[in-house]
Amino acid sequence: MKNKIFMYLFIFASLIVVFQYVNSKKILDASAKRMDSIKILNTKLKDSIAIQKEELSDLSLFDLRYNQEAQDYFYAKNIDTDSLIPFVKNELYKLNEAEGEHPLIPFAASEGRKMQFNTIKMLNHRWIIADFSDGQYWGELLIKYFMVGSDDVEFEVLDYMLYTR
């Protein structure tokens, strides 16, 4: 009788070990498969990031913050570009508050609306590109700017366009 109990315990223990082995093997195979797919995704994402970095470095060529020659122009005039950029942008945004038609945007707004600058990007020491909208129509301006002294700026619209619907 004791031998039968030991035999049943041995068979039961053997079945548990076989079950654990099969279950662990399935888990390890699934983990390996998931790890391979993660490695492939990681490689794709790294390639994507490399491409985006290259595109961003190309875009930084047209930004006053990264254009050393344009910064040197202001440095020679003792003008700090870190404070100049927000100053010029604020001067343009102040024009949004002008009564009547916008002084720089050459398009009339829709009924009951007003053309206003949305985003402004300073390209270098002479040019600004800005987009504008009245909520229904939108367009872009290429603006030439001049610093008059250290606290005054003049704007001249070089070209403009209004997107069609």
Side-chain angles (χ1 to χ4, degrees):
M1 176 100 173
K2 267 187 170 180
N3 287 339
K4 280 189 172 183
I5 291 177
F6 283 120
M7 188 175 82
Y8 287 130
L9 284 175
F10 177 74
I11 291 172
F12 182 70
S14 299
L15 286 174
I16 289 178
V17 168
V18 169
F19 174 75
Q20 286 289 340
Y21 172 76
V22 170
N23 193 29
S24 297
K25 179 118 172 86
K26 286 181 182 177
I27 291 172
L28 285 174
D29 289 344
S31 295
K33 203 181 241 188
R34 194 170 4 147
M35 186 64 96
D36 290 341
S37 67
I38 288 173
K39 284 180 182 178
I40 291 169
L41 179 62
N42 189 21
T43 304
K44 287 181 183 177
L45 291 175
K46 282 183 181 178
D47 292 345
S48 174
I49 288 173
I51 290 169
Q52 287 177 353
K53 278 185 179 179
E54 185 177 315
E55 289 173 359
L56 286 175
S57 68
D58 289 345
L59 289 176
S60 69
L61 293 174
F62 298 103
D63 193 336
L64 176 61
R65 294 174 296 172
Y66 306 111
N67 185 336
Q68 190 60 49
E69 288 79 17
Q71 289 183 2
D72 289 343
Y73 172 83
F74 288 119
Y75 181 73
K77 294 186 170 208
N78 293 325
I79 298 174
D80 178 31
T81 55
D82 291 335
S83 60
L84 174 77
I85 293 170
F87 171 73
V88 172
K89 285 183 177 183
N90 285 336
E91 291 298 310
L92 280 170
Y93 285 129
K94 283 181 188 176
L95 295 176
N96 286 343
E97 300 168 2
E99 293 296 321
E101 293 297 318
H102 197 285
L104 292 180
I105 300 173
F107 299 102
S110 305
E111 285 186 29
R113 299 176 186 214
K114 186 174 180 181
M115 288 288 189
Q116 296 184 1
F117 288 122
N118 296 321
T119 54
I120 297 167
K121 180 168 176 98
M122 296 181 69
L123 301 176
N124 56 28
H125 64 290
R126 274 294 165 247
W127 299 327
I128 297 171
I129 190 165
D131 79 312
F132 59 89
S133 172
D134 68 351
Q136 185 173 3
Y137 297 100
W138 62 96
E140 295 175 353
L141 289 172
L142 181 62
I143 303 169
K144 190 173 192 179
Y145 71 100
F146 303 96
M147 290 303 299
V148 181
S150 61
D151 59 347
D152 194 21
V153 62
E154 293 178 0
F155 301 106
E156 175 187 337
V157 176
L158 296 177
D159 204 3
Y160 49 85
M161 60 169 252
L162 189 67
Y163 289 106
T164 58
R165 293 179 150 224

